[in-house]
Amino acid sequence: MMIFDFMNTKNKINKKKAKILLKLKKILSDTLDEKIKKYSAETEYNPFIRAIAGEKRQLESSFVHSLYTTLGMSVWEQFTKCIGDSIGLKVTKQYQIPYSISLDTDTKINQLHQKLERKKIPNNTEEINKQIKDFAQPGSGNIDDEDKVVDIFIEDNEKNLIFIDITSPKPNIKECKAMKLKLLRWIAIGHANYKDAKSIKAILCMPFNPWNPKEYNHFPVKKVFDIKNDLRIQNEFWDSIAGFKIYDDIISVFEKVGKAKIKKIEQKFKDL
């Protein structure tokens, strides 16, 4: 009986995954079609790069750089919402936090952040979050919080809340410090205002690992964050949203859509 239960569960996951992948394929295909339609080469004059690499490679490089921007600003959030919605999570893109924290709470958060920077306390997010829960108080009135926009906000059926900031995999040290403070403030906002929540988490997510198959190894991130508790990278990110392995399937979606669009892209280069 246990074998049959396992097979039934596996079949249900496979059917659910197949539906999700079809939706992801459409999102990516539509986004690429729009990108190809509207794309125009950057107007910046750089004769040195063109002289070395040639006009074709310069145009290709410009297009690839533009794709990075499109993925970061649009596709990753759409993919996350699509996967989360499909498995029954409540997912909001560009969530506008309707609450704030008190001045005293804000001061304590900044003090914690400074202690972390100066290595006066261990960078243990679980312990720090317990401290924040003890002192977090809501702000008065309708004050907009400075970190009120969240890339992805997730609520599951048990009232577990997750604030997600999706970022590129190689942020500089200044960006890392700002993002760490943002995560701390989201934890405070969560504990101060979402009183019926079972748990509050704030995490930084990266769609891929540039060092793959080796371990993620970006020094500024490892210096500032609690890697175990603050980050979800590549498989950990996508698979944790789905609740099953899906990262490799997402790569397959990109490969299929890329092959289907390559002639359109090449024709675009000819028309530029």
Side-chain angles (χ1 to χ4, degrees), residues 33-59:
D33 282 341
E34 190 70 12
K35 166 61 68 176
I36 294 167
K37 179 181 177 181
K38 293 185 176 181
Y39 178 74
S40 59
E42 294 181 3
T43 56
E44 181 182 353
Y45 178 64
N46 194 328
F48 305 108
I49 296 298
R50 181 165 293 196
I52 294 171
E55 181 179 7
K56 181 182 177 182
R57 287 187 177 84
Q58 186 181 24
L59 289 172

Side-chain angles (χ1 to χ4, degrees), residues 44 54 73 80 84 117 136 194 210 215 233-234 259:
E44 181 182 353
M73 294 181 65
T80 306
E117 281 193 8
Y194 298 80
E215 183 179 327
I233 305 170
Q234 192 168 287
K259 287 178 182 178

Side-chain angles (χ1 to χ4, degrees), residues 210-233:
W211 286 268
N212 188 69
K214 295 181 180 179
E215 183 179 327
Y216 180 80
N217 193 32
H218 190 49
F219 174 74
V221 170
K222 296 179 79 171
K223 178 181 174 65
V224 173
F225 292 96
D226 174 352
I227 300 297
K228 178 182 177 182
N229 294 302
D230 288 339
L231 267 65
R232 297 291 182 273
I233 305 170

Side-chain angles (χ1 to χ4, degrees), residues 9-142:
T9 300
K10 187 175 181 180
N11 288 336
K12 287 179 182 178
I13 290 174
N14 287 338
K15 288 179 181 179
K16 187 174 291 186
K17 183 190 291 186
K19 291 180 180 179
I20 291 172
L21 294 175
L22 282 175
K23 293 176 183 178
L24 298 184
K25 185 177 180 181
K26 185 178 188 311
I27 290 170
L28 183 59
S29 182
D30 290 349
T31 302
L32 272 180
D33 282 341
E34 190 70 12
K35 166 61 68 176
I36 294 167
K37 179 181 177 181
K38 293 185 176 181
Y39 178 74
S40 59
E42 294 181 3
T43 56
E44 181 182 353
Y45 178 64
N46 194 328
F48 305 108
I49 296 298
R50 181 165 293 196
I52 294 171
E55 181 179 7
K56 181 182 177 182
R57 287 187 177 84
Q58 186 181 24
L59 289 172
E60 289 173 346
S61 176
S62 174
F63 181 74
V64 169
H65 180 76
S66 181
L67 274 181
Y68 268 107
T69 302
T70 299
L71 292 174
M73 294 181 65
S74 174
V75 173
W76 303 140
E77 290 182 14
Q78 290 187 71
F79 270 32
T80 306
K81 179 170 173 57
C82 176
I83 295 169
D85 285 347
S86 297
I87 65 163
L89 300 175
K90 183 179 178 181
V91 184
T92 306
K93 297 186 303 175
Q94 292 296 298
Y95 175 67
Q96 303 276 329
I97 299 174
Y99 308 110
S100 61
I101 49 178
S102 68
L103 180 59
D104 181 62
T105 301
D106 189 55
T107 300
K108 289 179 179 178
I109 289 294
N110 280 284
Q111 289 171 347
L112 273 176
H113 188 242
Q114 289 174 5
K115 288 178 181 178
L116 284 169
E117 281 193 8
R118 297 168 184 172
K119 299 188 181 300
K120 290 185 176 182
I121 58 174
N123 194 359
N124 185 323
T125 295
E126 288 185 347
E127 292 302 316
I128 291 170
N129 286 357
K130 290 177 183 177
Q131 293 181 46
I132 293 174
K133 184 178 181 179
D134 288 339
F135 66 69
Q137 294 296 322
S140 58
N142 297 317

